[in-house]
Amino acid sequence: MFENYLAGLRGGLAAGVVACLLLAYGVRSGRRDVLRPVRAGTGAGAALALGLGWAFTFGPAELTPRARETLGGTAAVAVVALLTWAGLRARRPARHAGAVLAAAAFLSVLREGLDTALFVGASVRASLDGSHGPLLVVLLGLLTALVPVLLLYRGAVRVRSAQLLPRVGVLSVLVVAGILAHGVFRLQEGDVLGGPRGTAFDVGTLVPPDSWYGAFLAGALGFRPDPTTVQVTVWLLYAVPVLILLVRRWRRGEQQFRNKDDRTASGSNSRAYDRRSSVDRHPRIPPCEPPDSGRALPR
């Protein structure tokens, strides 16, 4: 029963965090034209995931574990490619930005939504047999995931502009790197990359995967307590260069902002100096007083 709750929590976070960051980017950057495509992509991904879950649960077709892992891993790699392109083009006008972000939202929901939909389908089948507990627990997990997603969106929208890039940018890089590492692991499980081999480290005793905080970290950041060596390598190869590029861009923008302030201040001072200089060059001459007619003129 608790496994169904963790599945709903993990799937809701994995789908909602990316959509939340995309919507926050559209609001804070003034690109409100991308909000509707992102919402449409999120809804389409959720609808397709539920449809496929329903078809594979109640239909004659069956999705094998290998095919499911391959599909999820491929979708994760595609999401990372789309989000990276959108991040690199963030300061440049892009004609197809709305379509790219909609595709990223669609695939981000589909990659983990399918597993959640399969749990929902199994829970619906159990409820038809008279046991409504599994379905209610999965829905409770999805509702629980909605709370931190909404809080993250409100925080990303309300954060000060000077703190938006270093805070939300670093969080976005960690999320995308986690998606990539998780996608690589799923491709390994699907035997596309030769199978999972070699565990880099194991912190399962500190962060058990069957705990609520383990599911939270897995859904939000793609964290695994026992990642493979390939996962860690891919995570480092993506996260470290992108974080360095992000810090350089942030410092360059901050330096340009300071230079602009200095030029504005120096311009104000020069204009004030020019006004003072004009006064000094043209001193005010007091008006001439009329001669006193009552005073006798010298002879």
Side-chain angles (χ1 to χ4, degrees):
M1 190 75 69
F2 189 62
E3 182 182 358
N4 292 349
Y5 173 79
L6 294 180
L9 176 63
R10 182 169 52 248
L13 285 172
V17 168
V18 176
C20 160
L21 293 175
L22 292 177
L23 291 174
Y25 159 76
V27 173
R28 290 309 303 266
S29 62
R31 297 293 305 274
R32 293 187 175 271
D33 57 310
V34 304
L35 297 182
R36 182 175 295 180
V38 170
R39 295 192 188 103
T42 303
L48 181 60
L50 288 176
L52 291 177
W54 186 274
F56 290 132
T57 301
F58 298 97
E62 182 180 358
L63 185 65
T64 62
R66 181 176 179 179
R68 184 175 63 185
E69 298 298 335
T70 303
L71 178 61
T74 305
V77 174
V79 168
V80 172
L82 292 173
L83 292 178
T84 304
W85 181 88
L88 294 177
R89 301 280 299 184
R91 293 189 176 185
R92 303 176 184 177
R95 295 178 54 187
H96 306 291
V100 171
L101 296 181
F106 172 80
L107 292 175
S108 66
V109 174
L110 182 63
R111 69 182 181 90
E112 291 293 336
L114 182 58
D115 294 338
T116 307
L118 292 175
F119 273 96
V120 171
S123 302
V124 171
R125 173 177 289 179
S127 65
L128 294 178
D129 296 335
S131 176
H132 302 285
L135 179 60
L136 295 177
V137 168
V138 172
L139 295 179
L140 180 60
L142 291 174
L143 292 176
T144 305
L146 187 61
V147 175
V149 169
L150 292 178
L151 292 177
L152 176 62
Y153 174 77
R154 290 174 63 89
V157 170
R158 292 187 176 185
V159 70
R160 296 175 56 186
S161 298
Q163 301 172 350
L164 178 65
L165 184 61
R167 291 187 180 182
V168 181
V170 170
L171 177 61
S172 302
V173 172
L174 296 180
V175 170
V176 175
I179 293 174
L180 179 60
H182 184 64
V184 168
F185 179 77
R186 297 196 69 170
L187 290 176
Q188 286 182 298
E189 285 193 326
D191 204 17
V192 177
L193 299 179
R197 300 176 182 175
T199 301
F201 55 85
D202 190 356
V203 292
T205 56
L206 299 177
V207 187
D210 55 350
S211 60
W212 68 267
Y213 49 92
F216 184 90
L217 293 176
L221 300 176
F223 175 79
R224 284 185 59 85
D226 53 345
T228 63
T229 305
V230 176
Q231 271 188 280
V232 175
T233 303
V234 169
W235 192 94
L236 292 174
L237 289 177
Y238 181 87
V240 173
V242 175
L243 285 175
I244 293 175
L245 180 62
L246 178 68
V247 171
R248 287 183 177 179
R249 178 178 295 183
W250 173 51
R251 289 182 176 177
R252 189 182 304 116
E254 190 179 38
Q255 186 64 34
Q256 292 176 356
F257 182 77
R258 290 178 180 177
N259 294 338
K260 183 178 179 180
D261 286 348
D262 293 340
R263 288 194 300 267
T264 304
S266 61
S268 301
N269 294 334
S270 62
R271 286 193 297 269
Y273 177 76
D274 292 340
R275 287 195 298 268
R276 289 194 301 268
S277 300
S278 62
V279 172
D280 295 338
R281 288 194 300 267
H282 305 285
R284 180 175 295 179
I285 302 175
C288 298
E289 297 181 357
D292 190 0
S293 59
R295 188 173 57 186
L297 297 176
R299 293 181 180 179

